[in-house]
């Protein structure tokens, strides 16, 4: 019988299947958190606060992309030889008729 997946394993599998969505959500939460933090700092212009928020979110996005690359590398090294894209291809294949 197949053992149920742990919470960490199911999250890791979702991240592997939705890399760009994960990076986008991380960027959005990073910029929202950075704007919230910068707005609590007095004595800065609004334009400087927005620029700082964008820079913080950009750094977080680069870290997320590096993490996604590491996950992809890890999966590529530890994946079975089965075709990972088989679920997207038709089961009957393509017929080559002349």
């Amino acid at each position: 019988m197949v053992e149920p997946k742990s919470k960490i394993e199911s999250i890791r599998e979702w991240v592997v299947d939705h890399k760009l969505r994960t990076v986008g959500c991380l960027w959005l939460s990073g910029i929202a958190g950075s704007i919230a933090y910068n707005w609590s700092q007095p004595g800065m212009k609004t334009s400087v606060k927005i620029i700082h928020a964008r820079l913080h979110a950009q750094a977080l996005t680069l870290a997320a992309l590096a993490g996604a690359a590491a996950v992809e590398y890890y999966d590529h090294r530890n994946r079975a030889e089965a075709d990972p894209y088989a679920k997207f291809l038709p089961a009957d294949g393509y017929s080559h008729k002349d």
Side-chain angles (χ1 to χ4, degrees):
M1 286 209 12
V2 178
E3 295 181 21
K5 294 179 184 176
S6 67
K7 183 74 170 172
I8 298 294
E9 182 63 28
S10 63
I11 290 172
R12 189 193 67 78
E13 187 176 307
W14 187 88
V15 168
V16 167
D17 291 341
H18 302 95
K19 289 178 196 75
L20 291 178
R21 186 176 292 171
T22 303
V23 171
C25 289
L26 193 58
W27 174 83
L28 186 62
S29 64
I31 201 158
S34 185
I35 285 175
Y37 172 74
N38 283 325
W39 243 260
S40 70
Q41 304 298 317
M44 288 174 41
K45 289 177 156 181
T46 303
S47 61
V48 174
K49 291 177 183 181
I50 291 172
I51 290 170
H52 283 181
R54 185 191 62 83
L55 289 174
H56 292 148
Q58 189 173 6
L60 185 62
T61 301
L62 286 174
L65 286 172
V71 167
E72 182 69 23
Y73 177 76
Y74 175 78
D75 276 354
H76 182 69
R77 287 188 53 129
N78 296 328
R79 178 176 49 212
E81 294 299 320
D83 184 15
Y85 304 107
K87 63 183 177 184
F88 300 113
L89 298 174
D92 60 352
Y94 297 101
S95 60
H96 299 286
K97 295 182 181 179
D98 292 326

